[in-house]
Amino acid sequence: MKREHIPDQSKAPIYEALQTFRQMRVVPFDVPGHKRGRGNPELTRFLGEQCVSIDVNSMKPLDNLCHPISVIRQAEELAADAFGAAHAFLMVGGTTSSVQTMVLATCKRGDKIIMPRNVHRSVINALVLCGAIPVYVNPEVDHRLGISLGMKREQVAKAIRENPDAVAVLVNNPTYYGICSDLRSIVKMAHDAGMYCLADEAHGTHFYFGENMPVSAMAAGADMAAVSMHKSGGSLTQSSLLLTGPNIQEGHVRKIINLTQTTSGSYLLMSSLDISRRNLALRGKEVFRHVVSMAEYAREEINAIGGYYAFGRELVNGDSIFDFDPTKLSVHTRDIGLAGIEVYDLLRDEYDIQIEFGDIGNILAYLSIGDRYQELERLVSALAEIRRRYQTDGSGLMNQEYIDPEVVTSPQEAFYADKRSVPLEDSVGKVCSEFVMCYPPGIPILAPGERITAEILDYIRYAKAKGCSMTGTEDPEIERINILAEEVR
């Protein structure tokens, strides 16, 4: 996108417009109905007058997210410049909305899309909506850690050779645990085959601003990237960015966004994106240098405890682990005889420490711009005490995080097909018609259209017994599961 002037990253157009609007003392005969908080004093006391007074509706001075022409447009142009994209879209439906827009903008019913199986549920939900067919590149597994890795170059090349009619390749950059694939090579392979390359960068905002980070999607030449500004970028929860490269038509993407995104875009979320982009553009290098330093300190201290393994760049092998996100504080816990979810629960219940998630064998403490050394020291001390108090024999712990699924039918066909509910134990060999997942991280154990196996059921029961938060099924207790009413072979 051509720009007639050099963007001034010290500007925050939406924030500045809201400040001006606040001083105008406009009488509101529009929505929202709380009328700048006057109609809901309890809410105003809770959130503060500063906040509710700018919870306003679209109007000429403040632009319109569905068709931006002034301050929102300017904020998007500044974001595009900061992230090195041809265009950036402010998203108020979370990165789920950004991911689904990427898929819906490039795929239609019957199209194939190449992707790793360890994608977030939002990707498979997008396939339910558009009817595209997943071609899974099943990632290698680190059996010691029990985590899925990145996509190997040869795996992607093989998938492209065997599916020349696929329209896109989707890559996690990085995974929840900080693992990165060789994104530049994958982008080149996709483009050489006439396919788009899409990147789920929900956990990679800092790649655009930090030093010595893994390559960002836009720098690698990807066509679209979904970026969770609210995760490591400091904006409010549910605010996100969708970045596009020069080969993507802006108007088409806007039409796709407007299919599902609200027509009442939150100015709290949009202004938080605007302010956070400015902060990162002006101070991002310094901020993330500090975050990396904290993460390296924490890894060293946790590994000195014994029994834990806080893993990092020593895992890099140049292919399935092409690079590693140095801000990720991922810790393997099985060697002290505890599942990650058990350590997660102990940290919260016994030590008032809330980490991002725990799974079968690992925990993740999410470090970003708001963390300080004193809280890290508290975390390290708590982990040392947990080892001392609760360490046990871990020989009976399950060690596999990833189960290779058999895809029988498309997610859309399975989701909308006639279905019946059966007890878990009666579902072996049947085709699942709903999701089963631990959240976080939200990577499906089962997705619609996949065959249920005894191994998968063992994993589900084990995860439940260890206290994982299981979601996705109609039955909240996950004692029953929906399967296709008619057998599919």
Side-chain angles (χ1 to χ4, degrees), residues 94-115:
T95 305
T96 288
S97 181
S98 299
V99 166
Q100 291 177 350
T101 296
M102 290 196 304
V103 176
L104 294 175
T106 54
C107 301
K108 62 181 184 300
R109 182 175 174 81
D111 283 345
K112 294 179 183 177
I113 177 170
I114 297 167
M115 64 176 71

Side-chain angles (χ1 to χ4, degrees), residues 376-405:
L376 276 177
E377 289 166 358
R378 185 172 160 190
L379 172 64
V380 171
S381 296
L383 289 173
E385 192 168 315
I386 286 171
R387 184 201 175 201
R388 180 179 60 80
R389 294 175 61 193
Y390 297 101
Q391 183 170 8
T392 185
D393 176 20
S395 57
L397 292 177
M398 185 177 282
N399 65 357
Q400 183 86 350
E401 183 265 350
Y402 174 77
I403 300 171
D404 186 1

Side-chain angles (χ1 to χ4, degrees), residues 6 26 28 92 111 142 151 171 197 212 226 332 363 377 382 439 443:
I6 298 174
V26 173
V92 296
D111 283 345
D142 184 307
M151 294 193 290
V171 188
C197 188
N212 301 314
H332 186 59
I363 59 173
E377 289 166 358
Y439 192 86
I443 298 167

Side-chain angles (χ1 to χ4, degrees), residues 22-73:
R22 196 200 302 272
Q23 296 165 5
M24 291 170 63
R25 303 177 65 85
V26 173
V27 178
F29 286 108
D30 61 350
V31 296
H34 61 67
K35 306 293 179 173
R36 317 292 190 263
R38 291 195 303 271
N40 196 339
E42 186 177 14
L43 179 69
T44 303
R45 285 193 298 271
F46 179 63
L47 295 180
E49 189 275 335
Q50 286 282 96
C51 177
V52 294
S53 69
I54 59 166
D55 180 36
V56 293
N57 194 30
S58 296
M59 60 188 74
K60 279 190 175 182
L62 299 179
D63 209 354
N64 188 305
L65 184 60
C66 296
H67 184 76
I69 58 173
S70 59
V71 293
I72 296 176
R73 178 78 182 186

Side-chain angles (χ1 to χ4, degrees), residues 432-449:
C432 187
S433 69
E434 58 186 348
F435 289 95
V436 184
M437 72 198 82
C438 298
Y439 192 86
I443 298 167
I445 301 166
L446 272 171

Side-chain angles (χ1 to χ4, degrees), residues 27 32 68 128 140 145 227 254 263 298 319 357 378 416 484:
V27 178
V128 170
E140 285 190 341
L145 301 177
V227 179
R254 183 81 67 189
T263 55
D319 200 357
F357 80 89
R378 185 172 160 190
Y416 288 110
L484 299 193

